[in-house]
Amino acid sequence: MDDVDGPIKSLKAFKRVSLKAGERQMVSIDLPCKSFEGWDAQTNTIRVVSGTYQVFVGGSSADAAKAKIEVKIR
């Protein structure tokens, strides 16, 4: 893959959740295969790029992530 000029972080999904102080809620967000696409200069196509991705959860991209998981695409 040749997407070296792509962003380091990019927003792929979000869900607005309103909570009161001390309140907790389970939230799920779908990340379809399209979320892991990138430009392949060799084939001039956009395709799913295999590798390990970090998924961050937080209030904003400037936030230190409240949670982080790794997703492996083969």
Side-chain angles (χ1 to χ4, degrees):
M1 292 298 291
D2 228 2
D3 202 1
V4 293
D5 295 324
I8 294 172
K9 293 181 185 177
S10 61
L11 179 65
K12 299 297 183 177
F14 76 95
K15 189 173 281 188
R16 185 176 304 274
V17 179
S18 297
L19 300 173
K20 295 177 183 165
E23 187 177 10
R24 295 173 62 154
Q25 180 179 354
M26 177 74 74
V27 177
S28 41
I29 295 175
D30 294 327
L31 290 173
C33 290
K34 189 174 182 95
S35 301
F36 303 96
E37 289 181 340
W39 178 253
D40 185 343
Q42 291 180 335
T43 61
N44 286 329
T45 60
I46 294 176
R47 67 175 184 88
V48 174
V49 181
S50 61
T52 302
Y53 294 83
Q54 294 180 336
V55 177
F56 297 95
V57 178
S60 76
S61 63
D63 258 354
K66 306 283 189 246
K68 177 176 79 171
I69 61 170
E70 284 192 350
V71 176
K72 292 184 181 182
I73 306 291
R74 296 183 195 160

